[in-house]
């Protein structure tokens, strides 16, 4: 192994060690806790791990690389599955020396901080070129992707069936956490031991589905929010994709990539396919790993560049029953409460009286809006609010002027149309004229009305999504077309903000999040379900990029009734807003809601910049979500009581605090959390004779030992604000 090349990248508390022997593809030797060792130590370590070959006469010992190769004796899932008319199906790549920070490493060890490792490889016989990128960000987030190019000169295209990149994990990571879900109940956790074979979570809905896992977390058994080594992985793509954990003989890895439909990628001479980025985040506890994803998004999103405006969305206030007078009344009442952004939802465009018609005809309905939307938008701005608008640009109703004029603009895999869902079909944005039409309509709406915010919905899974002329699968190209559409619209309107909404919590992935400003975590505003949806979505998405609205007392999705205080407390740690008919508010509720809006506005900078933390996932114990300032000088937590508990009191740890600091505790708990004799004095709850001065306790006690919290009354909440006292 004298010709081994090693790259050692370190950022924060993470190290990545990549090794390449001779002309092989690179492999990850270590990805995890930071190691500060010499180049000689690293070289000796890699050489000490030299393996014998598969047999005594094997030329090259095989290690599972970033892209494992069947042709070199890998019997797990191949990294690249491709063929050319049935041949060239077992590529064997010969790689040039790895490049670190743009410089080739001919031999020895290259040590850098954050940066990239790049390698170019080729198989001259199969006539395939490969370009691999491996990046470690300044916050320690790992990502990798591959480019495959067809260099063959014959007429047979190179058909790519699958590219599944590999991020190795240590065998001590024996437990996996992933997620399922459904409409209005997304991100349901499921935790189980890792077993031999492949545990795979495909998302085949043409978008990141409501049942998609979003992330897979693999860690040491018992890993928790604030303890235990864990690796949280994600495929950053909004179309079909797959997350998987593969366990073999001495091998464990996260496998991820785009899930390609039959014949979807056929490369002619010189054409190339670029995979989505596959991400991995290491941490001591889930919160540590999640913070790297949050840093990644905050560095790219305009959500971190200005305070998040309190938002009023009118959907659950009026549904399709829209008229200018009612909507202006809602705007005026919202402004009085402190609302800063007003969003007109579905129902404003031509022929839209229900969900059966109108999608595709993006002009104001002349009957409902005889003067157009500009008067409403102008009134909203006069009241000091921004004006936002709901659109669903990727969809089309068969009952629409656009569908009647251009039936050939509807995706289909056969002559007849696919089954309808919500009475709608999918517009073929890969068609140049359809793409241009939608771009110009959106551009005109933003310009003519003065729209500063688009709620961009996507309410239909893609079924039989083929190109209308050929019937060939179109999900891959449709996804890239949506990316181009959003990118072009934002290039034309640099200050425009966009929310990604997909039947609620669908399409939550880094592909869409890197070009939008927030997501809609769920169509359910029921605070009991919503608390956990926000918690688990937060493994990928920072709080300020998750819409978090207060809805009516009776949930429209579950029928459950909750107090206003409880609903507001759950919504606080996110992008706060209202989705409720506020015209009928009693004076007391109006005052309560206004006070919560003021509380959010006081703390929103902390929410948008702080490190998110969470508590245990025990549904019989109090649940916790919080944010801690980067300097550790301030923190904000929401604590909610469980629906039922065998205990009247339980300890709650406020994690993420600096252990050496002391914190002054302030509590907002206007509701009774239990009988007075069971409410600890630190809560300052009603019914106690003496509240005394605000307690001051050490971060070590608060985060490692915790404070007793009453669980006597179910579905109650307290918001705890801590400020450093030293």
């Amino acid at each position: 192994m004298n010709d081994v090349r090693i790259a050692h990248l370190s950022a924060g508390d993470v190290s990545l060690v990549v090794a390449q022997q001779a002309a092989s593809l690179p492999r990850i030797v270590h990805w995890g806790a930071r190691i500060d060792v010499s180049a000689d130590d690293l070289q000796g370590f890699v050489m000490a791990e030299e393996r014998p070959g598969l047999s005594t006469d094997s030329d090259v010992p095989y290690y599972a690389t970033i892209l494992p190769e069947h042709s070199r004796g890998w019997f797990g899932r191949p990294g690249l599955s491709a063929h050319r008319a049935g041949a060239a199906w077992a590529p064997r790549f010969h790689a040039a020396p790895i490049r670190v920070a743009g410089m080739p490493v001919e031999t020895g060890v290259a040590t850098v901080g954050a940066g990239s490792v790049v390698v170019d490889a080729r198989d001259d016989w199969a006539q395939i070129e490969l370009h691999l990128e491996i990046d470690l960000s300044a916050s320690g987030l790992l990502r990798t992707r591959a480019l495959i190019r067809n260099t063959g000169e014959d007429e047979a295209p190179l058909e790519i069936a699958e590219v599944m990149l590999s991020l190795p994990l240590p065998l001590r990571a024996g437990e996996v956490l992933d997620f399922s879900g459904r409409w209005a109940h997304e991100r349901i956790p499921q935790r189980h031991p890792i077993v031999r074979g492949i545990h795979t979570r495909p998302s085949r809905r043409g978008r990141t589905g409501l049942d998609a896992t979003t992330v897979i977390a693999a860690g040491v058994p018992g890993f928790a929010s604030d303890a235990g080594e864990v690796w949280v992985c994600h495929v950053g793509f909004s179309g079909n994709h797959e997350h998987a954990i593969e366990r073999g003989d001495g091998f464990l890895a996260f496998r991820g990539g785009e899930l390609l439909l039959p014949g979807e990628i056929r490369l002619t001479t010189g054409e190339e396919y670029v995979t989505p980025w596959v991400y991995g985040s290491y941490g001591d506890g889930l919160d540590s790993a999640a913070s790297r994803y949050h840093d990644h998004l905050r560095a790219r999103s305009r959500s971190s560049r200005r305070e998040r405006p309190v938002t009023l969305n009118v959907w659950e206030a009026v549904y399709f029953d829209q008229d200018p007078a009612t909507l202006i009344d809602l705007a005026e009442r919202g402004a009085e409460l402190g609302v800063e952004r007003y969003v007109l939802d579905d129902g404003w465009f031509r022929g839209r009286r229900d969900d059966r018609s109108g999608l595709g005809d993006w002009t104001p309905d002349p009957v409902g809006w005889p003067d157009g939307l500009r008067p409403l938008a102008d009134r909203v701005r006069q009241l000091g609010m921004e004006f936002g608008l709901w659109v669903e640009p990727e969809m089309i109703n068969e009952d629409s002027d656009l569908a009647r004029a251009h039936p050939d603009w509807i995706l289909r895999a056969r002559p007849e149309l696919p089954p309808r869902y919500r009475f709608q079909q999918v517009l073929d944005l890969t068609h140049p004229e359809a793409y241009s039409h939608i771009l110009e309509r959106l551009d005109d709406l933003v310009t003519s009305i003065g729209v500063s915010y688009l709620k961009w919905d996507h309410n239909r899974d893609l079924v039989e999504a083929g190109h209308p002329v050929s019937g060939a699968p179109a999900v891959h190209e449709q996804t890239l077309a949506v990316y181009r559409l959003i990118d072009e619209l934002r290039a034309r309107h640099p200050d425009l903000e966009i929310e990604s909404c997909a039947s609620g919590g669908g399409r939550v992935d880094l592909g869409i999040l890197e070009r939008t400003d927030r997501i809609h975590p769920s169509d359910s505003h029921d605070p009991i379900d919503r608390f956990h949806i926000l918690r688990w979505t937060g493994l990928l998405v920072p709080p300020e990029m998750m819409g978090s609205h207060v809805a009516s007392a009776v949930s429209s999705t579950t029928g459950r009734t909750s107090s206003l205080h409880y609903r507001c407390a759950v919504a606080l740690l996110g992008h706060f807003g209202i989705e409720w008919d506020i015209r009928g508010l009693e004076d007391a509720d109006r005052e309560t809601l206004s006070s919560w809006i003021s509380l959010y506005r006081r703390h929103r900078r902390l929410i948008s910049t702080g490190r998110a933390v969470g508590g245990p996932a025990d549904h019989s114990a109090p649940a916790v979500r919080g944010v801690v300032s980067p300097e550790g000088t301030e923190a904000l937590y929401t604590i909610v009581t469980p629906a039922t508990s065998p205990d009247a009191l339980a300890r709650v740890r406020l994690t993420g605090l600096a252990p050496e600091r002391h914190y002054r505790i302030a509590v907002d708990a206007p509701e009774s959390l239990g009988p007075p004799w069971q409410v600890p004095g630190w809560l300052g709850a009603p019914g106690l004779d003496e509240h005394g001065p605000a307690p001051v306790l050490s971060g070590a006690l608060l985060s490692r030992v915790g404070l007793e919290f009453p669980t006597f009354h179910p579905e109650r909440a307290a918001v705890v604000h801590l400020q450093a006292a030293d």
Side-chain angles (χ1 to χ4, degrees):
M1 292 185 63
N2 293 329
D3 54 355
V4 68
R5 307 173 193 90
I6 301 171
H8 182 196
L9 283 64
S10 295
D13 55 355
V14 175
S15 278
L16 174 70
V17 180
V18 179
Q20 180 189 38
Q21 182 189 355
S24 67
L25 294 178
R27 63 189 178 98
I28 293 177
V29 175
H30 169 75
W31 166 40
R34 184 181 182 117
I35 50 173
D36 294 310
V37 297
S38 69
D40 289 343
D41 281 343
L42 270 182
Q43 197 156 23
F45 170 74
V46 172
M47 293 180 69
E49 288 207 323
E50 181 177 358
R51 295 179 183 176
L54 293 168
S55 62
T56 55
D57 60 351
S58 179
D59 294 327
V60 179
Y62 187 70
Y63 300 87
T65 65
I66 297 287
L67 203 69
E69 297 166 277
H70 170 76
S71 62
R72 296 191 186 275
W74 173 250
F75 296 110
R77 192 169 187 172
L80 171 62
S81 294
H83 69 92
R84 182 180 285 106
W89 59 272
R92 182 181 303 168
F93 290 105
H94 294 267
I98 58 174
R99 301 194 304 276
V100 179
M103 300 297 293
V105 180
E106 298 297 343
T107 187
V109 180
T111 302
V112 296
S116 62
V117 178
V118 175
V119 65
D120 292 306
R122 58 186 301 121
D123 182 339
D124 290 330
W125 179 82
Q127 298 179 304
I128 303 173
E129 286 183 352
L130 169 68
H131 177 78
L132 279 173
E133 299 174 64
I134 309 165
D135 290 348
L136 188 69
S137 75
S139 65
L141 183 68
L142 171 65
R143 65 176 187 171
T144 183
R145 68 177 176 181
L147 179 151
I148 313 293
R149 181 180 295 111
N150 179 14
T151 59
E153 296 182 356
D154 54 18
E155 294 184 0
L158 179 68
E159 182 165 333
I160 308 295
E162 179 177 88
V163 183
M164 288 290 287
L165 293 153
S166 176
L167 297 179
L169 307 170
L171 296 183
R172 64 182 178 275
E175 195 170 53
V176 65
L177 169 69
D178 62 356
F179 300 89
S180 185
R182 56 168 172 79
W183 178 75
H185 199 175
E186 297 84 346
R187 254 68 74 197
I188 301 171
Q190 51 187 22
R191 191 164 181 152
H192 44 93
I194 293 174
V195 297
R196 291 179 182 268
I198 299 180
H199 171 66
T200 181
R201 294 299 312 281
S203 182
R204 299 178 180 272
R205 297 176 179 269
R207 61 176 182 178
T208 304
L210 299 166
D211 59 344
T213 185
T214 308
V215 299
I216 281 185
V220 298
F223 66 85
S225 295
D226 62 334
E229 285 190 297
V230 65
W231 291 259
V232 177
C233 300
H234 171 75
V235 178
F237 190 64
S238 308
N240 294 332
H241 60 265
E242 185 174 356
H243 294 70
I245 296 288
E246 183 173 14
R247 173 72 162 94
D249 182 7
F251 171 81
L252 177 64
F254 171 75
R255 307 297 304 276
E258 184 178 3
L259 199 161
L260 296 169
L261 295 173
E264 194 159 24
I265 303 295
R266 289 178 171 173
L267 304 179
T268 59
T269 300
E271 288 186 328
E272 57 193 35
Y273 165 68
V274 180
T275 72
W277 285 107
V278 173
Y279 295 83
S281 182
Y282 166 81
D284 183 13
L286 288 166
D287 296 340
S288 173
S291 69
R292 307 188 202 284
Y293 286 112
H294 298 177
D295 289 344
H296 175 79
L297 285 169
R298 284 171 169 171
R300 287 159 174 76
S301 172
R302 65 193 70 189
S303 293
S304 62
R305 299 171 200 163
R306 56 176 294 229
E307 293 183 334
R308 298 292 80 212
V310 177
T311 298
L312 171 65
N313 186 287
V314 303
W315 174 244
E316 291 194 18
V318 298
Y319 295 101
F320 288 109
D321 188 15
Q322 295 187 1
D323 71 82
T326 297
L327 289 159
I328 287 174
D329 185 19
L330 280 168
E332 292 170 346
R333 293 173 186 266
E336 292 174 357
L337 290 170
V339 169
E340 299 160 308
R341 174 183 286 159
Y342 177 97
V343 181
L344 180 64
D345 212 287
D346 191 2
W348 58 268
F349 47 97
R350 180 181 293 272
R352 190 70 164 178
R353 294 293 177 269
D354 50 35
D355 59 1
R356 296 170 181 261
S357 61
L359 286 176
D361 298 339
W362 300 111
T363 56
D365 184 74
V367 177
W369 299 92
D371 299 318
L373 297 181
R374 187 73 195 220
L376 172 64
D378 286 344
R379 179 58 180 149
V380 165
R381 286 186 284 269
Q382 288 171 1
L383 293 166
M385 297 181 290
E386 301 173 8
F387 182 75
L389 194 63
W390 180 95
V391 291
E392 194 171 5
E394 300 154 73
M395 300 298 156
I396 186 170
N397 285 125
E398 293 170 51
D399 183 6
S400 67
D401 292 343
L402 187 65
R404 285 184 282 270
H406 297 284
D408 55 320
W409 287 5
I410 300 176
L411 288 178
R412 67 192 80 186
R414 58 182 72 214
E416 62 268 25
L417 291 174
R420 299 184 192 94
Y421 180 79
R422 205 172 180 250
F423 307 103
Q424 62 194 57
Q425 300 286 356
V426 184
L427 187 68
D428 182 9
L429 292 177
T430 73
H431 191 295
E433 293 180 20
Y435 175 95
S436 296
H437 173 80
I438 292 298
L439 174 61
E440 296 309 320
R441 289 302 313 126
L442 294 175
D443 181 53
D444 180 65
L445 284 171
V446 173
T447 302
S448 62
I449 300 171
V451 175
S452 62
Y453 178 86
L454 287 178
K455 181 181 177 182
W456 188 301
D457 215 336
H458 184 293
N459 277 310
R460 188 196 198 283
D461 294 330
L462 274 60
V463 179
E464 290 188 327
H467 293 290
V469 174
S470 66
V475 171
H476 171 80
E477 291 183 12
Q478 178 81 357
T479 305
L480 298 185
V482 171
Y483 290 167
R484 289 195 305 273
L485 181 62
I486 295 173
D487 291 345
E488 174 60 27
L489 189 63
R490 295 188 70 163
R492 295 185 183 188
H493 304 279
D495 294 327
L496 177 69
E497 293 194 13
I498 297 176
E499 171 185 328
S500 174
C501 176
S503 305
R507 197 151 70 178
V508 177
D509 56 76
L510 291 185
I512 201 72
L513 279 161
E514 287 184 344
R515 41 187 46 90
T516 56
D517 302 287
R518 78 172 206 172
I519 51 99
H520 187 53
S522 178
D523 277 345
S524 174
H525 298 285
D526 182 315
I528 294 177
D529 291 341
R530 189 67 173 230
F531 185 94
H532 299 286
I533 291 169
L534 291 168
R535 165 71 182 110
W536 296 122
T537 306
L539 290 183
L540 183 69
V541 188
E544 73 277 8
M545 294 187 73
M546 293 190 286
S548 194
H549 290 188
V550 178
S552 60
V554 179
S555 168
S556 64
T557 55
T558 67
R560 193 156 40 199
T561 301
S562 303
S563 72
L564 179 55
H565 171 76
Y566 186 65
R567 299 187 330 260
C568 290
V570 169
L572 182 67
L573 298 185
H575 185 177
F576 192 86
I578 303 167
E579 192 128 358
W580 186 15
D581 189 351
I582 56 175
R583 292 174 296 169
L585 288 183
E586 300 288 343
D587 289 344
D589 282 350
R590 185 178 296 106
E591 183 177 343
T592 297
L593 184 55
S594 179
S595 68
W596 276 99
I597 289 172
S598 297
L599 182 70
Y600 170 75
R601 291 170 67 166
R602 286 201 304 274
H603 292 305
R604 60 183 164 190
R605 182 63 183 166
L606 171 62
I607 294 169
S608 296
T609 59
R611 177 176 173 178
V613 295
D618 181 358
H619 286 274
S620 67
V624 182
R625 290 182 63 233
V627 289
V628 182
S629 68
E631 304 81 12
T633 56
E634 188 180 12
L636 190 67
Y637 299 88
T638 296
I639 309 170
V640 300
T641 60
T644 184
S645 174
D647 303 300
L649 290 168
R651 285 202 178 273
V652 172
R653 293 188 303 118
L654 305 179
T655 59
L657 300 173
E660 71 280 0
R661 286 187 177 274
H662 286 75
Y663 294 89
R664 181 169 287 104
I665 304 173
V667 180
D668 180 13
E671 288 186 317
S672 172
L673 292 166
W677 61 88
Q678 289 184 336
V679 178
W682 72 273
L683 282 164
L688 295 177
D689 293 330
E690 287 295 330
H691 297 243
V696 176
L697 296 173
S698 74
L701 284 171
L702 291 168
S703 62
R704 297 171 183 172
V705 180
L707 294 168
E708 284 191 332
F709 192 82
T711 60
F712 189 88
H713 287 325
E715 302 167 16
R716 305 293 173 89
V719 173
V720 180
H721 181 225
L722 306 181
Q723 286 186 301
D726 52 11

